[in-house]
Amino acid sequence: MATKLVKEPQKRRGRGARDAVLIDLALQGGGSHGAFTWGVLDRLMDEPWLRIDGISGTSAGAMNAVVLASGFAADGPAGAKSALSAFWQRVADSGRLSPIRRSPLDVLLGRWTLDTSPFYLAFDLASRVFSPYDLNFAGANPLRQVLAESVDFAQVASSPIRLFVTATNVHTGRGRVFRNAELTPDVLLASACLPTLFHAIEIDGEPYWDGGYSGNPTITPLVRDCKSQDTLLVAVNPVERPGTPRSAREILDRLNEVAFNATLLKELRMIALLRQVADTGSSEGRKWAEMRIHLISSKLLAELGASSKFNAEWDFLLMLRDEGRRAAEAFLTSKSKNIGKRSSIDLDILLQQV
């Protein structure tokens, strides 16, 4: 199935034909901002020269990864694009009856934030006082049905695309990486389980929370288990923000961003460090040093604010998808020549920040 992606006679937009290159994808989580990643993947599926070896994903990134793999197994790139579109449509449909919506003023002004939504404010306050075990007695999660309708897990188990989904063990605090044959709706819900909103998800008798606490996403399995030396990181969680948070909500939101980026930055810093060591020792060390990292991101995501991650309106998801396609197109136009040759970002900057 993977060769189908290479051999289909598609023409790249204005850049001519190109030999196939094996790549990995690293997909961050971020609630409904994951629709940005949908757009990136939708655009990458148009490129017949890009062969996906493996995908590491967390939370919404994990769901995008598994939906893509399921659709790809059924009908190649066209199936992947169709499956992603159907998944996000179901996400929007599942949120239609939710009281957590934009206020009339925000709708009028064209703002996507939920910061002035009365129901969101009440919900946000309640989540800081009560646990989900106090209020959500059944542990209900609307995404369970969405996943059941969107993913053929039997096809995922045998997919040629290697999948790595991270969730955080509540007892140990360590991340666990689940692979193709281990993936189930519970694993994906565990990877996206924010502990202030949902009950911990039990897998093999162990409770799990959001994978972002231990890897958003984790790069290690891409290095150890995949042949590709090029990783495209699709970032939806801002690393840097101007200004200092002042309100309680802004401070907590920024703390979550810092925590969710910490492990990823540590892995990228290790790659930069190993590149500067003449003798990296083991074969795995050399492979880390030889990894090439490429980044697809958008400043728009930092401007949207944290509350919009709960906005599941279809128009909002479509806007994010279009921004994702635009960001991917910009990357392909200016940086795709680096794939297979060199990193597109300067990782040495991370060493200067230690």
Side-chain angles (χ1 to χ4, degrees):
M1 190 66 69
T3 56
K4 183 177 180 182
L5 179 58
V6 180
K7 293 181 178 179
E8 285 183 348
Q10 300 180 30
K11 184 177 289 185
R12 297 177 64 216
R13 299 181 182 180
R15 287 182 287 274
R18 179 169 176 177
D19 292 338
V21 178
L22 206 59
I23 64 167
D24 299 322
L25 299 175
L27 310 181
Q28 284 196 317
S32 62
H33 290 188
F36 170 83
T37 302
W38 164 30
V40 172
L41 298 175
D42 188 77
R43 178 63 188 87
L44 294 180
M45 286 294 99
D46 294 336
E47 298 294 321
W49 63 282
L50 292 176
R51 293 180 54 190
I52 300 176
D53 187 12
I55 308 177
S56 177
T58 296
S59 192
M63 296 185 187
N64 275 317
V66 173
V67 170
L68 180 146
S70 178
F72 188 87
D75 191 26
K81 289 163 70 77
S82 177
L84 285 165
S85 179
F87 169 76
W88 284 102
Q89 179 69 72
R90 292 187 182 105
V91 169
D93 290 344
S94 70
R96 282 181 178 173
L97 299 180
S98 171
I100 303 176
R101 307 184 69 83
R102 288 184 295 162
S103 68
L105 178 61
D106 286 328
V107 173
L108 180 64
L109 296 177
R111 298 187 302 214
W112 297 111
T113 179
L114 298 178
D115 286 347
T116 60
S117 165
F119 283 99
Y120 173 77
L121 293 174
F123 171 76
D124 184 58
L125 179 61
S127 70
R128 303 181 195 283
V129 178
F130 302 100
S131 89
Y133 296 90
D134 297 324
L135 303 176
N136 186 0
F137 299 107
N141 189 325
L143 284 176
R144 185 179 296 277
Q145 182 62 31
V146 171
L147 290 169
E149 296 172 353
S150 303
V151 178
D152 184 332
F153 286 92
Q155 288 185 328
V156 169
S158 59
S159 172
I161 299 175
R162 296 179 177 89
L163 298 175
F164 310 98
V165 171
T166 303
T168 304
N169 187 301
V170 178
H171 291 166
T172 66
R174 294 193 296 268
R176 175 177 171 182
V177 177
F178 297 85
R179 290 162 172 80
N180 295 59
E182 302 171 297
L183 296 175
T184 65
D186 275 347
V187 169
L188 294 179
L189 293 178
S191 183
C193 179
L194 292 173
T196 58
L197 303 182
F198 301 109
H199 294 193
I201 304 295
E202 284 205 7
I203 302 172
D204 299 331
E206 295 285 333
Y208 287 89
W209 283 339
D210 196 297
Y213 296 110
S214 52
N216 191 24
T218 179
I219 303 295
T220 300
L222 297 178
V223 178
R224 290 179 173 174
D225 297 355
C226 295
K227 296 179 181 178
S228 169
Q229 292 181 309
D230 287 87
T231 296
L232 272 64
L233 169 62
V234 183
V236 299
N237 200 44
V239 173
E240 297 184 2
R241 280 188 182 275
T244 303
R246 300 289 183 182
S247 70
R249 186 185 303 113
E250 288 174 343
I251 292 170
L252 288 173
D253 289 342
R254 186 55 183 154
L255 281 173
N256 281 331
E257 286 180 343
V258 171
F260 275 32
N261 281 326
T263 303
L264 172 63
L265 291 175
K266 181 179 180 180
E267 290 182 310
L268 295 177
R269 190 175 292 118
M270 182 166 62
I271 294 174
L273 182 61
L274 287 172
R275 284 179 180 174
Q276 296 187 1
V277 178
D279 181 7
T280 56
S282 67
S283 59
E284 182 175 329
R286 288 192 296 273
K287 191 172 181 182
W288 275 96
E290 292 168 356
M291 289 297 292
R292 297 179 287 267
I293 307 298
H294 314 276
L295 176 67
I296 300 178
S297 62
S298 171
K299 293 181 180 179
L300 174 65
L301 296 175
E303 297 171 359
L304 288 173
S307 69
S308 63
K309 293 178 181 179
F310 295 92
N311 186 343
E313 295 176 49
W314 182 236
D315 287 346
F316 180 54
L317 301 181
L318 287 179
M319 183 276 290
L320 288 170
R321 179 205 63 184
D322 292 345
E323 177 63 14
R325 282 190 60 89
R326 184 208 63 76
E329 180 66 36
F331 169 81
L332 290 168
T333 299
S334 62
K335 301 292 180 61
S336 64
K337 61 182 179 294
N338 293 332
I339 297 177
K341 298 178 181 178
R342 65 187 71 86
S343 289
S344 298
I345 58 176
D346 183 9
L347 295 178
D348 291 340
I349 293 177
L350 297 175
L351 297 179
Q352 299 170 12
Q353 297 174 346
V354 175

